Amino acid sequence: MALLTGAATAQPTPQAIVDYDRPPPRFGNVAKETHVTRGDLVRIDQRVIPAHTQITILRQLYTRTGQPFTFETTRSADGHLIGARIADDPLFAPPAKTLRQSAGPRERHAGELCQPWTVSQRTSDGSMFQQAGCTTADGIELSRKKGVIDAISATNVRRTAVSAGAVRLPFETLDTTLLVRQEAGSDHRSDYELVLADRHGATVLQRRSGNWLYIEERVGQVRTISVRNLLTGVEIRYSRNRNGRRAWMWSRSFAPTVRPAAKPDKATSAATRQETILGEKCSWQNAWPGVIVFDGSKSDCRTADGVVLASVETSMGSMTHFTATSLSRRTQPLSAIKLPAEVTDRAAWELGDAQPVR
């Protein structure tokens, strides 16, 4: 998954800023976007209004022809960085020229001629993913359709100089060192380390250090990690699915997350509402209070200070039951809630000559 830096040979061409419409059906609620292009490096700018908010944010994606991953940053309307993400994704970038097959005579879009092409690629689950597009002789993408759910169509092409800095991947935005800090006067009386397991070998590791909570789940080859601050709303997430595809991101909430308080589980009889696990008492509660779920439910057995010692979740007729196997109430250092080195190692993501990420 090596990143081609393109720093080598000829003067990059083309250089342009292109506006696009994204007609329905489309993935997400972005109706327009702008591509800033220098050679085969492209920065995609999208203005997004997250669901249930009236806040506009700027989402910027950095890509290039054939790049096997996506890299994106998110900024508030005033330019402050509020998130960054990198993920294995070989189907997001414009497909490599060697994969494209000509699809008929040249067409004209936004006042420029382009050559139609099609590409068929096999995905990690074995299905075929179809793309079609139209690109100018010097590489400007004027249209592209991905499968049946997403497309872009150029509405305006501005041939103008684009600096190298405008399209470089901002690797430094992945550095979370300054985010993961302990607030002055943090209360460590609720610190703990907990391991839960089910009968199939799946495990959940939890650590709390002050206001920071670390949760790592392993189910076979699937791995997910969440690190979040219960006070500020900062969250860092990593996942790896059964096919080995990874995603790593951090985000800063607009406001700290406030969830409805857990409520006693009405589906559990009074006789079994409380349990003692690993020597600690817990009470069964609805883990999703105020949330309407039609095909499942989740109940947790929580201690008085909120530690989950057992959890039962049903979904589509299946059930998972996790029970605590170990619990330590010792103070946890900040290092205990940081992401493992293999997740944040630059070499693991093959980011070329970029600065290390943390």
Side-chain angles (χ1 to χ4, degrees), residues 113-132:
L113 288 173
C114 59
Q115 176 61 52
W117 52 262
T118 60
V119 167
S120 182
Q121 294 171 277
R122 191 171 296 280
T123 66
S124 58
D125 64 6
S127 61
M128 298 303 295
F129 184 71
Q130 308 289 336
Q131 294 190 74

Side-chain angles (χ1 to χ4, degrees), residues 265-313:
D265 187 356
K266 295 180 180 179
T268 307
S269 67
T272 59
R273 188 170 296 166
Q274 292 188 335
E275 287 191 38
T276 299
I277 301 175
L278 298 179
E280 298 213 15
K281 291 183 179 180
C282 62
S283 300
W284 283 99
Q285 302 169 356
N286 177 7
W288 295 334
V291 178
I292 299 175
V293 181
F294 295 101
D295 60 352
S297 63
K298 188 172 189 292
S299 298
D300 293 336
C301 197
R302 293 178 176 267
T303 63
D305 60 350
V307 179
V308 176
L309 298 180
S311 180
V312 177
E313 182 175 349

Side-chain angles (χ1 to χ4, degrees), residues 39-276:
D40 66 346
L41 297 171
V42 181
R43 188 191 78 215
I44 303 171
D45 294 351
Q46 298 177 340
R47 303 282 175 179
V48 183
I49 301 178
H52 311 300
T53 76
Q54 295 182 334
I55 302 172
T56 300
I57 61 175
L58 173 63
R59 181 183 184 220
Q60 295 183 306
L61 301 101
Y62 297 80
T63 187
R64 69 181 308 158
T65 301
Q67 180 172 286
F69 60 88
T70 57
F71 189 107
E72 66 180 83
T73 62
T74 307
R75 297 183 181 274
S76 60
D78 57 5
H80 284 87
L81 185 69
I82 56 176
R85 179 178 183 269
I86 186 172
D88 294 320
D89 186 354
L91 301 176
F92 177 82
K97 297 175 183 178
T98 55
L99 298 176
R100 302 177 190 178
Q101 295 184 343
S102 178
R106 290 193 298 173
E107 300 176 359
R108 186 174 293 276
H109 294 264
E112 298 217 7
L113 288 173
C114 59
Q115 176 61 52
W117 52 262
T118 60
V119 167
S120 182
Q121 294 171 277
R122 191 171 296 280
T123 66
S124 58
D125 64 6
S127 61
M128 298 303 295
F129 184 71
Q130 308 289 336
Q131 294 190 74
C134 199
T135 306
T136 64
D138 60 350
I140 295 291
E141 192 171 45
L142 298 183
S143 72
R144 181 153 57 114
K145 184 177 182 180
K146 304 177 185 179
V148 296
I149 61 169
D150 209 6
I152 57 173
S153 179
T155 58
N156 183 40
V157 179
R158 287 164 280 168
R159 299 279 185 169
T160 185
V162 173
S163 68
V167 294
R168 67 172 285 273
L169 273 71
F171 304 104
E172 65 280 358
T173 60
L174 286 174
D175 188 347
T176 57
T177 304
L178 298 179
L179 292 174
V180 184
R181 289 185 171 182
Q182 209 63 274
E183 296 84 5
S186 294
D187 187 350
H188 287 270
R189 288 176 296 177
S190 296
D191 284 12
Y192 65 88
E193 179 178 87
L194 169 72
V195 177
L196 301 103
D198 73 359
R199 62 188 181 91
H200 301 293
T203 60
V204 178
L205 168 65
Q206 294 187 14
R207 296 190 185 106
R208 179 166 179 174
S209 175
N211 292 318
W212 288 97
L213 182 64
Y214 176 100
I215 302 176
E216 178 175 355
E217 301 181 22
R218 290 178 180 262
V219 182
Q221 298 300 312
V222 178
R223 183 185 190 190
T224 60
I225 300 173
S226 169
V227 177
R228 60 189 175 95
N229 189 295
L230 303 174
L231 182 65
T232 66
V234 169
E235 182 170 19
I236 306 166
R237 296 186 64 86
Y238 170 82
S239 64
R240 184 189 65 209
N241 68 14
R242 60 175 56 89
N243 296 315
R245 290 180 59 177
R246 304 161 298 167
W248 170 33
M249 57 81 71
W250 71 266
S251 63
R252 193 194 310 270
S253 299
F254 299 110
T257 301
V258 178
R259 301 182 185 277
K263 298 179 180 179
D265 187 356
K266 295 180 180 179
T268 307
S269 67
T272 59
R273 188 170 296 166
Q274 292 188 335
E275 287 191 38
T276 299

Side-chain angles (χ1 to χ4, degrees), residues 346-358:
R346 179 185 68 190
W349 291 91
E350 299 183 29
L351 292 177
D353 296 326
Q355 294 298 312
V357 293
R358 300 178 178 87

